[in-house]
Short mmCIF file of all heavy atoms in Angstrom, two decimals:
data_model
loop_
_atom_site.label_atom_id
_atom_site.label_comp_id
_atom_site.label_asym_id
_atom_site.label_seq_id
_atom_site.Cartn_x
_atom_site.Cartn_y
_atom_site.Cartn_z
N ILE A 10 100.24 -19.38 93.00
CA ILE A 10 101.40 -19.14 92.18
C ILE A 10 102.15 -17.90 92.73
O ILE A 10 103.41 -17.92 92.72
CB ILE A 10 101.01 -18.92 90.71
CG1 ILE A 10 100.45 -20.22 90.12
CG2 ILE A 10 102.20 -18.42 89.85
CD1 ILE A 10 99.81 -20.08 88.77
N LYS A 11 101.46 -16.90 93.09
CA LYS A 11 102.09 -15.65 93.60
C LYS A 11 103.05 -15.96 94.79
O LYS A 11 104.16 -15.55 94.81
CB LYS A 11 101.00 -14.66 94.09
CG LYS A 11 101.46 -13.63 95.05
CD LYS A 11 102.49 -12.63 94.51
CE LYS A 11 102.95 -11.69 95.61
NZ LYS A 11 104.09 -10.89 95.10
N PHE A 12 102.56 -16.74 95.75
CA PHE A 12 103.33 -16.97 96.98
C PHE A 12 104.27 -18.14 96.91
O PHE A 12 105.28 -18.26 97.57
CB PHE A 12 102.38 -17.13 98.18
CG PHE A 12 101.68 -15.81 98.52
CD1 PHE A 12 100.30 -15.66 98.18
CD2 PHE A 12 102.33 -14.75 99.12
CE1 PHE A 12 99.63 -14.51 98.45
CE2 PHE A 12 101.67 -13.56 99.36
CZ PHE A 12 100.31 -13.41 99.01
N SER A 13 103.97 -19.14 96.01
CA SER A 13 104.80 -20.32 95.91
C SER A 13 105.91 -20.08 94.89
O SER A 13 107.01 -20.63 95.00
CB SER A 13 103.98 -21.56 95.50
OG SER A 13 103.39 -21.37 94.27
N ALA A 14 105.65 -19.29 93.85
CA ALA A 14 106.67 -19.03 92.81
C ALA A 14 107.39 -17.75 93.03
O ALA A 14 108.35 -17.40 92.34
CB ALA A 14 106.02 -19.04 91.45
N ASN A 15 106.93 -16.94 94.01
CA ASN A 15 107.56 -15.66 94.34
C ASN A 15 107.63 -14.72 93.13
O ASN A 15 108.65 -14.22 92.79
CB ASN A 15 108.91 -15.88 94.95
CG ASN A 15 109.50 -14.62 95.59
OD1 ASN A 15 108.74 -13.73 96.05
ND2 ASN A 15 110.83 -14.50 95.56
N VAL A 16 106.49 -14.51 92.47
CA VAL A 16 106.38 -13.62 91.33
C VAL A 16 105.43 -12.49 91.71
O VAL A 16 104.72 -12.52 92.73
CB VAL A 16 105.93 -14.32 90.04
CG1 VAL A 16 106.92 -15.38 89.62
CG2 VAL A 16 104.55 -14.99 90.30
N ASN A 17 105.40 -11.39 90.85
CA ASN A 17 104.49 -10.31 91.11
C ASN A 17 103.07 -10.75 90.85
O ASN A 17 102.83 -11.74 90.13
CB ASN A 17 104.89 -9.06 90.30
CG ASN A 17 104.87 -9.29 88.82
OD1 ASN A 17 103.79 -9.45 88.20
ND2 ASN A 17 106.04 -9.36 88.18
N PHE A 18 102.09 -9.94 91.29
CA PHE A 18 100.68 -10.32 91.15
C PHE A 18 100.26 -10.35 89.68
O PHE A 18 99.48 -11.27 89.30
CB PHE A 18 99.81 -9.38 91.93
CG PHE A 18 99.51 -9.80 93.26
CD1 PHE A 18 99.98 -9.13 94.40
CD2 PHE A 18 98.71 -10.93 93.56
CE1 PHE A 18 99.71 -9.53 95.73
CE2 PHE A 18 98.45 -11.38 94.85
CZ PHE A 18 98.95 -10.68 95.93
N MET A 19 100.75 -9.51 88.84
CA MET A 19 100.37 -9.52 87.44
C MET A 19 100.79 -10.77 86.78
O MET A 19 100.06 -11.44 86.06
CB MET A 19 100.94 -8.32 86.67
CG MET A 19 100.50 -8.20 85.26
SD MET A 19 98.76 -7.85 85.02
CE MET A 19 98.78 -6.02 85.12
N ASP A 20 102.06 -11.19 87.03
CA ASP A 20 102.59 -12.44 86.46
C ASP A 20 101.86 -13.69 87.02
O ASP A 20 101.58 -14.63 86.28
CB ASP A 20 104.07 -12.55 86.72
CG ASP A 20 104.92 -11.67 85.89
OD1 ASP A 20 104.34 -10.98 85.00
OD2 ASP A 20 106.16 -11.58 86.07
N ALA A 21 101.46 -13.60 88.28
CA ALA A 21 100.70 -14.67 88.94
C ALA A 21 99.39 -14.90 88.23
O ALA A 21 98.95 -15.97 87.92
CB ALA A 21 100.57 -14.45 90.38
N PHE A 22 98.64 -13.77 88.03
CA PHE A 22 97.36 -13.84 87.42
C PHE A 22 97.44 -14.22 85.97
O PHE A 22 96.68 -14.98 85.40
CB PHE A 22 96.59 -12.50 87.54
CG PHE A 22 95.76 -12.38 88.75
CD1 PHE A 22 96.22 -11.77 89.88
CD2 PHE A 22 94.52 -12.97 88.73
CE1 PHE A 22 95.40 -11.70 91.05
CE2 PHE A 22 93.64 -12.89 89.90
CZ PHE A 22 94.14 -12.27 91.03
N PHE A 23 98.50 -13.67 85.24
CA PHE A 23 98.77 -14.02 83.87
C PHE A 23 98.98 -15.51 83.73
O PHE A 23 98.38 -16.14 82.82
CB PHE A 23 99.92 -13.24 83.29
CG PHE A 23 100.12 -13.43 81.84
CD1 PHE A 23 99.62 -12.47 80.90
CD2 PHE A 23 100.86 -14.46 81.30
CE1 PHE A 23 99.75 -12.63 79.54
CE2 PHE A 23 101.07 -14.60 79.93
CZ PHE A 23 100.51 -13.66 79.08
N THR A 24 99.80 -16.05 84.61
CA THR A 24 100.07 -17.51 84.56
C THR A 24 98.84 -18.33 84.88
O THR A 24 98.58 -19.39 84.23
CB THR A 24 101.21 -17.86 85.54
OG1 THR A 24 102.32 -17.05 85.26
CG2 THR A 24 101.58 -19.32 85.41
N SER A 25 98.02 -17.85 85.86
CA SER A 25 96.78 -18.57 86.19
C SER A 25 95.87 -18.60 85.01
O SER A 25 95.15 -19.60 84.73
CB SER A 25 96.12 -17.90 87.39
OG SER A 25 95.03 -18.67 87.81
N PHE A 26 95.79 -17.50 84.24
CA PHE A 26 94.93 -17.50 83.03
C PHE A 26 95.51 -18.35 81.94
O PHE A 26 94.79 -19.15 81.35
CB PHE A 26 94.86 -16.05 82.47
CG PHE A 26 93.78 -15.16 83.10
CD1 PHE A 26 93.99 -14.44 84.17
CD2 PHE A 26 92.53 -15.07 82.42
CE1 PHE A 26 92.94 -13.59 84.73
CE2 PHE A 26 91.52 -14.32 82.92
CZ PHE A 26 91.74 -13.59 84.07
N THR A 27 96.81 -18.23 81.67
CA THR A 27 97.41 -18.89 80.53
C THR A 27 97.56 -20.36 80.75
O THR A 27 97.65 -21.16 79.83
CB THR A 27 98.72 -18.24 80.18
OG1 THR A 27 99.18 -18.66 78.91
CG2 THR A 27 99.79 -18.59 81.19
N ALA A 28 97.70 -20.79 82.06
CA ALA A 28 97.89 -22.20 82.33
C ALA A 28 96.62 -23.02 81.97
O ALA A 28 96.68 -24.23 81.77
CB ALA A 28 98.20 -22.42 83.83
N ARG A 29 95.49 -22.36 81.84
CA ARG A 29 94.24 -23.03 81.51
C ARG A 29 94.05 -23.06 79.98
O ARG A 29 93.14 -22.50 79.48
CB ARG A 29 93.12 -22.35 82.20
CG ARG A 29 93.15 -22.57 83.75
CD ARG A 29 92.01 -21.96 84.47
NE ARG A 29 90.74 -22.37 83.92
CZ ARG A 29 89.97 -21.61 83.24
NH1 ARG A 29 90.34 -20.32 82.99
NH2 ARG A 29 88.86 -22.01 82.70
N THR A 30 95.07 -23.57 79.33
CA THR A 30 95.16 -23.97 77.89
C THR A 30 95.72 -22.91 76.94
O THR A 30 95.78 -23.15 75.75
CB THR A 30 93.86 -24.49 77.33
OG1 THR A 30 93.00 -23.44 76.89
CG2 THR A 30 93.10 -25.42 78.25
N ALA A 31 96.12 -21.69 77.38
CA ALA A 31 96.63 -20.68 76.47
C ALA A 31 98.09 -20.92 76.15
O ALA A 31 98.48 -20.86 74.97
CB ALA A 31 96.44 -19.31 77.04
N GLY A 32 98.97 -21.18 77.13
CA GLY A 32 100.31 -21.54 76.86
C GLY A 32 101.38 -20.45 76.76
O GLY A 32 102.54 -20.73 76.45
N PHE A 33 101.01 -19.21 77.03
CA PHE A 33 102.01 -18.12 77.13
C PHE A 33 102.67 -18.17 78.46
O PHE A 33 102.14 -18.73 79.42
CB PHE A 33 101.38 -16.76 76.85
CG PHE A 33 100.75 -16.57 75.53
CD1 PHE A 33 99.33 -16.41 75.43
CD2 PHE A 33 101.50 -16.63 74.34
CE1 PHE A 33 98.76 -16.23 74.19
CE2 PHE A 33 100.97 -16.47 73.10
CZ PHE A 33 99.57 -16.26 73.06
N GLN A 34 103.84 -17.53 78.59
CA GLN A 34 104.49 -17.43 79.87
C GLN A 34 105.26 -16.13 80.02
O GLN A 34 105.84 -15.64 79.05
CB GLN A 34 105.43 -18.59 80.06
CG GLN A 34 106.42 -18.82 78.95
CD GLN A 34 107.27 -20.07 79.11
OE1 GLN A 34 107.82 -20.34 80.18
NE2 GLN A 34 107.36 -20.88 78.06
N THR A 35 105.26 -15.57 81.20
CA THR A 35 106.01 -14.36 81.51
C THR A 35 107.16 -14.59 82.48
O THR A 35 107.81 -13.72 82.92
CB THR A 35 105.09 -13.25 82.09
OG1 THR A 35 104.32 -13.81 83.13
CG2 THR A 35 104.13 -12.71 81.03
N PHE A 36 107.26 -15.95 82.80
CA PHE A 36 108.52 -16.37 83.54
C PHE A 36 108.85 -17.76 83.08
O PHE A 36 107.91 -18.54 82.63
CB PHE A 36 108.40 -16.22 85.03
CG PHE A 36 107.40 -17.18 85.64
CD1 PHE A 36 107.75 -18.46 86.01
CD2 PHE A 36 106.10 -16.80 85.89
CE1 PHE A 36 106.87 -19.35 86.61
CE2 PHE A 36 105.19 -17.63 86.47
CZ PHE A 36 105.53 -18.95 86.82
N GLU A 37 110.07 -18.20 83.12
CA GLU A 37 110.51 -19.48 82.68
C GLU A 37 109.87 -20.64 83.44
O GLU A 37 110.00 -20.74 84.63
CB GLU A 37 112.02 -19.59 82.71
CG GLU A 37 112.77 -18.70 81.71
CD GLU A 37 112.68 -19.11 80.30
OE1 GLU A 37 112.15 -20.22 80.06
OE2 GLU A 37 113.11 -18.35 79.44
N MET A 38 109.21 -21.57 82.70
CA MET A 38 108.63 -22.72 83.32
C MET A 38 109.62 -23.65 83.96
O MET A 38 109.35 -24.44 84.88
CB MET A 38 107.71 -23.49 82.33
CG MET A 38 106.46 -22.69 81.98
SD MET A 38 105.27 -22.52 83.28
CE MET A 38 105.33 -20.72 83.51
N ALA A 39 110.84 -23.63 83.39
CA ALA A 39 111.90 -24.52 83.93
C ALA A 39 112.21 -24.23 85.37
O ALA A 39 112.76 -25.12 86.09
CB ALA A 39 113.18 -24.37 83.08
N THR A 40 111.95 -22.98 85.81
CA THR A 40 112.21 -22.63 87.26
C THR A 40 111.30 -23.40 88.23
O THR A 40 111.52 -23.30 89.43
CB THR A 40 112.07 -21.09 87.43
OG1 THR A 40 110.74 -20.72 87.11
CG2 THR A 40 112.97 -20.34 86.53
N LEU A 41 110.29 -23.97 87.69
CA LEU A 41 109.33 -24.69 88.52
C LEU A 41 109.90 -25.93 89.19
O LEU A 41 109.33 -26.53 90.12
CB LEU A 41 108.09 -25.11 87.76
CG LEU A 41 107.19 -24.00 87.21
CD1 LEU A 41 106.02 -24.56 86.38
CD2 LEU A 41 106.67 -23.11 88.34
N GLU A 42 111.08 -26.34 88.74
CA GLU A 42 111.78 -27.51 89.27
C GLU A 42 112.03 -27.30 90.76
O GLU A 42 112.02 -28.21 91.54
CB GLU A 42 113.08 -27.79 88.52
CG GLU A 42 112.91 -28.31 87.11
CD GLU A 42 114.24 -28.52 86.42
OE1 GLU A 42 115.29 -28.11 86.99
OE2 GLU A 42 114.22 -29.02 85.34
N ASP A 43 112.29 -26.07 91.12
CA ASP A 43 112.58 -25.74 92.55
C ASP A 43 111.33 -25.18 93.24
O ASP A 43 111.45 -24.68 94.41
CB ASP A 43 113.71 -24.69 92.60
CG ASP A 43 114.96 -25.14 91.93
OD1 ASP A 43 115.29 -26.36 92.04
OD2 ASP A 43 115.65 -24.32 91.20
N LYS A 44 110.17 -25.23 92.59
CA LYS A 44 108.96 -24.65 93.19
C LYS A 44 107.84 -25.73 93.01
O LYS A 44 106.99 -25.59 92.12
CB LYS A 44 108.60 -23.39 92.51
CG LYS A 44 109.69 -22.25 92.68
CD LYS A 44 109.53 -21.15 91.70
CE LYS A 44 110.67 -20.14 91.84
NZ LYS A 44 110.63 -19.08 90.84
N PRO A 45 107.92 -26.78 93.77
CA PRO A 45 106.96 -27.92 93.59
C PRO A 45 105.48 -27.51 93.74
O PRO A 45 104.60 -28.11 93.05
CB PRO A 45 107.39 -28.90 94.70
CG PRO A 45 108.11 -28.07 95.71
CD PRO A 45 108.81 -27.02 94.93
N VAL A 46 105.16 -26.59 94.60
CA VAL A 46 103.73 -26.20 94.76
C VAL A 46 103.22 -25.58 93.50
O VAL A 46 102.12 -25.91 93.00
CB VAL A 46 103.55 -25.23 95.95
CG1 VAL A 46 102.15 -24.76 96.08
CG2 VAL A 46 104.02 -25.88 97.25
N SER A 47 104.02 -24.68 92.86
CA SER A 47 103.61 -24.00 91.61
C SER A 47 103.53 -25.06 90.52
O SER A 47 102.61 -25.00 89.65
CB SER A 47 104.61 -22.92 91.26
OG SER A 47 104.52 -21.89 92.11
N PHE A 48 104.47 -25.99 90.52
CA PHE A 48 104.50 -27.02 89.54
C PHE A 48 103.20 -27.87 89.55
O PHE A 48 102.57 -28.12 88.53
CB PHE A 48 105.67 -28.02 89.79
CG PHE A 48 105.69 -29.19 88.90
CD1 PHE A 48 106.26 -29.12 87.61
CD2 PHE A 48 105.22 -30.41 89.33
CE1 PHE A 48 106.25 -30.26 86.82
CE2 PHE A 48 105.20 -31.50 88.51
CZ PHE A 48 105.78 -31.49 87.24
N VAL A 49 102.76 -28.25 90.77
CA VAL A 49 101.53 -28.99 90.92
C VAL A 49 100.29 -28.21 90.50
O VAL A 49 99.41 -28.72 89.79
CB VAL A 49 101.40 -29.50 92.38
CG1 VAL A 49 100.06 -30.14 92.54
CG2 VAL A 49 102.46 -30.49 92.73
N ILE A 50 100.17 -26.96 90.99
CA ILE A 50 98.98 -26.15 90.71
C ILE A 50 98.85 -25.81 89.18
O ILE A 50 97.77 -25.87 88.64
CB ILE A 50 98.96 -24.90 91.54
CG1 ILE A 50 97.59 -24.21 91.48
CG2 ILE A 50 99.99 -23.84 91.02
CD1 ILE A 50 96.48 -25.03 92.08
N ILE A 51 99.97 -25.59 88.54
CA ILE A 51 99.93 -25.31 87.10
C ILE A 51 99.55 -26.60 86.31
O ILE A 51 98.80 -26.53 85.35
CB ILE A 51 101.27 -24.77 86.56
CG1 ILE A 51 101.49 -23.33 87.12
CG2 ILE A 51 101.35 -24.76 85.05
CD1 ILE A 51 102.84 -22.74 86.80
N ASN A 52 99.98 -27.77 86.79
CA ASN A 52 99.56 -29.00 86.17
C ASN A 52 98.07 -29.25 86.32
O ASN A 52 97.40 -29.70 85.39
CB ASN A 52 100.35 -30.19 86.73
CG ASN A 52 101.64 -30.49 85.96
OD1 ASN A 52 101.59 -31.07 84.90
ND2 ASN A 52 102.78 -30.08 86.54
N ILE A 53 97.57 -28.94 87.50
CA ILE A 53 96.13 -29.07 87.79
C ILE A 53 95.34 -28.12 86.88
O ILE A 53 94.31 -28.52 86.29
CB ILE A 53 95.84 -28.82 89.26
CG1 ILE A 53 96.40 -29.94 90.12
CG2 ILE A 53 94.31 -28.69 89.47
CD1 ILE A 53 96.35 -29.67 91.60
N LEU A 54 95.77 -26.87 86.80
CA LEU A 54 95.08 -25.85 85.95
C LEU A 54 95.08 -26.31 84.45
O LEU A 54 94.11 -26.16 83.79
CB LEU A 54 95.75 -24.49 86.10
CG LEU A 54 95.58 -23.78 87.42
CD1 LEU A 54 96.40 -22.52 87.47
CD2 LEU A 54 94.09 -23.47 87.67
N MET A 55 96.23 -26.85 83.99
CA MET A 55 96.29 -27.37 82.67
C MET A 55 95.35 -28.45 82.41
O MET A 55 94.62 -28.56 81.39
CB MET A 55 97.76 -27.74 82.26
CG MET A 55 98.72 -26.62 82.14
SD MET A 55 100.28 -27.09 81.37
CE MET A 55 100.90 -28.25 82.48
#
């Protein structure tokens, strides 16, 4: 997520934690439309 979504490490780790059923977000999920790798990995984590 860090390198595919181009976010800071804290946001990347936060998203990795929350994607596994918590559901919070520190950046807009709608931006994943232009970031297919992050889109796929977050779907897998969920």
